């Protein structure tokens, strides 16, 4: 099993850029959730998982046609992708095992199985090339899971952690059940979100970040301790700040004028949105060190907002908080 912590990007293991085609599902705008979605220096965002584009079923087959759609859905719920081959008995056994465990989560996770024999283009995206190979997507970001067979109890521990990280990040949606998914006989937990939060997520899916922010503000007014609303508001504010920004121009400005606080803030936003979380935190902590008074307060507050976007338990946030404290005092 991988020793990498949840929330860390699987850099170099998955290259999604080659699969992005003009007009393909997920090529456009979309909401971000904590952790910093893929996109990087292009300033792109994870595609929106609109209601009409959600793949139904706790266990589905992935191919090049629906791959981006499945990655997009990870802003609603974690999507576990398993590369397998029907030619390898061990691979088939693991595929059946993971599918059974995933179904027991009743929609908190979705399994997307990629047959490597029929999807060579997708296999090329997973540049590590291990088979079988299991990777989760959360807010459009790949998260390493495992490559070797695991006992059921280990899989459950791993998936429990993934669900917990998703909840902490505000990703609390459920996978729409498919015809092959049985309904549990025990009473189900209420799946519906509070009306204000549902309105906020609907607005995000529609690309109306102003309306989403208003809904999150209302949710916080109704319940100041609503952590999901607080994190959601931070995410939407990030999307609003970066919407329409020219990444090249902003980066050039920040490089030319290191003391330009506005430019440093803008680049840090783009870095978080692109998944370069540590770079963003380092940039703003360095800016804290060279500023004072109101400017320092602005930079500190932005860092705190970005901490909320990434997630309080993320090890990168924990480390950055310590560095920020040292820079301030």
């Amino acid at each position: 099993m991988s020793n990498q912590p949840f929330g860390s990007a699987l850099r170099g293991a998955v290259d999604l850029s080659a699969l992005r085609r003009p007009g393909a599902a997920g090529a456009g705008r979309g909401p971000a959730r904590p952790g910093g979605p893929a996109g990087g220096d292009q300033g792109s965002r994870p595609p929106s998982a609109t209601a009409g584009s959600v793949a139904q079923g706790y266990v589905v087959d992935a191919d090049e046609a629906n791959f981006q759609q499945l990655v997009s859905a990870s802003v609603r719920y974690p999507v576990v992708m398993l590369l397998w081959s029907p030619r390898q008995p061990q691979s088939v056994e693991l595929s059946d095992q993971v599918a059974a465990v995933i179904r027991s989560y009743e929609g908190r996770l979705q399994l997307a199985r990629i047959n490597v024999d029929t999807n060579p283009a997708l296999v090329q995206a997973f540049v590590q090339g291990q088979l079988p190979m299991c990777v989760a997507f959360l807010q459009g970001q790949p998260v390493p899971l495992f490559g070797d067979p695991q006992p059921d109890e280990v899989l459950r521990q791993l998936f429990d952690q993934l669900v917990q990280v998703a909840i902490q990040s505000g990703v609390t949606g459920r996978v729409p059940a498919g015809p092959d998914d049985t309904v549990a006989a025990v009473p189900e937990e209420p799946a519906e979100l509070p009306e204000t939060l549902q309105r906020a997520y609907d607005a995000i899916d529609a690309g109306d970040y102003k309306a989403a922010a208003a809904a999150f503000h209302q949710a916080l007014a109704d319940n100041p301790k609503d952590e999901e609303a607080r994190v959601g508001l931070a995410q939407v504010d990030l999307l609003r700040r970066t919407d329409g920004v020219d990444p090249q121009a902003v980066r050039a400005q920040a490089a030319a004028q290191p003391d330009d606080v506005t430019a440093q803030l803008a680049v840090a936003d783009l870095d978080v949105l692109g998944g370069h979380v540590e770079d963003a935190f380092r940039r703003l902590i360095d800016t804290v060190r060279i500023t004072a008074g109101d400017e320092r307060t602005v930079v500190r507050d932005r860092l705190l907002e970005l901490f909320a976007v990434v997630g309080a338990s993320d090890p990168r946030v924990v480390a950055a908080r310590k560095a920020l404290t040292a820079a301030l005092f």
Side-chain angles (χ1 to χ4, degrees):
M1 184 188 306
S2 169
N3 292 322
Q4 289 183 257
F6 280 95
S8 62
L10 185 59
R11 298 192 182 203
V14 183
D15 179 11
L16 305 183
S17 61
L19 298 171
R20 291 181 177 172
R21 305 184 304 274
R29 58 93 197 144
R33 294 286 176 98
D41 293 339
Q42 285 72 33
S44 60
R45 299 172 179 78
S48 170
T50 57
S53 67
V54 176
Q56 291 190 346
Y58 301 161
V59 178
V60 298
D61 292 322
D63 54 29
E64 189 173 356
N66 68 2
F67 181 81
Q68 286 288 358
Q69 176 194 67
L70 291 163
V71 173
S72 300
S74 69
V75 302
R76 291 178 177 264
Y77 41 74
V79 177
V80 176
M81 293 202 179
L82 176 67
L83 277 71
W84 71 290
S85 170
R87 295 179 292 103
Q88 297 185 4
Q90 177 178 284
S91 182
V92 174
E93 182 179 349
L94 180 62
S95 175
D96 292 341
Q97 177 195 15
V98 174
V101 173
I102 289 285
R103 283 196 170 96
S104 73
Y105 282 80
E106 297 181 348
R108 293 186 180 274
L109 300 166
Q110 185 175 54
L111 173 64
R113 296 188 289 195
I114 301 173
N115 182 340
V116 300
D117 298 337
T118 57
N119 293 280
L122 288 185
V123 176
Q124 291 176 7
F126 293 82
V127 295
Q128 286 187 345
Q130 182 177 357
L131 187 70
M133 175 181 180
C134 197
V135 174
F137 281 84
L138 188 60
Q139 305 112 15
Q141 274 288 87
V143 179
L145 292 182
F146 55 87
D148 299 320
Q150 305 290 338
D152 277 5
E153 58 270 24
V154 174
L155 291 182
R156 292 186 185 283
Q157 291 174 5
L158 198 60
F159 293 149
D160 285 348
Q161 292 178 49
L162 181 59
V163 169
Q164 185 59 39
V165 170
I167 292 172
Q168 292 172 354
S169 302
V171 180
T172 57
R174 291 292 188 103
V175 180
D180 296 331
D181 298 320
T182 58
V183 178
V186 297
E188 295 183 359
E189 298 179 6
E192 293 185 0
L193 289 170
E195 188 273 335
T196 49
L197 291 183
Q198 186 61 61
R199 193 167 72 240
Y201 292 136
D202 289 344
I204 291 175
D205 284 342
D208 189 347
Y209 303 142
K210 182 178 180 180
F216 282 130
H217 276 297
Q218 182 60 54
L220 286 170
D222 295 340
N223 177 13
K225 296 182 179 180
D226 189 333
E227 183 66 13
E228 184 173 352
R230 185 184 69 83
V231 172
L233 180 59
Q235 298 160 10
V236 168
D237 284 344
L238 174 63
L239 288 175
R240 295 176 72 186
R241 291 194 302 266
T242 54
D243 193 29
V245 169
D246 182 338
Q248 287 73 28
V250 168
R251 292 185 186 280
Q253 174 72 10
Q257 298 187 24
D259 58 347
D260 185 336
V261 170
T262 299
Q264 303 307 322
L265 293 174
V267 173
D269 282 345
L270 290 174
D271 280 345
V272 169
L273 198 64
H276 306 299
V277 172
E278 291 169 321
D279 293 342
F281 290 168
R282 189 180 304 111
R283 177 182 295 274
L284 293 190
I285 291 169
D286 288 345
T287 305
V288 164
R289 292 191 177 100
I290 64 172
T291 54
D294 292 342
E295 282 191 332
R296 171 177 278 198
T297 299
V298 168
V299 178
R300 181 204 63 192
D301 290 348
R302 177 62 57 80
L303 257 173
L304 296 178
E305 288 183 43
L306 295 180
F307 289 167
V309 170
V310 177
S313 64
D314 190 290
R316 297 167 295 183
V317 171
V318 174
R321 283 190 183 278
K322 294 178 181 179
L324 175 60
T325 300
L328 288 170
F329 303 104

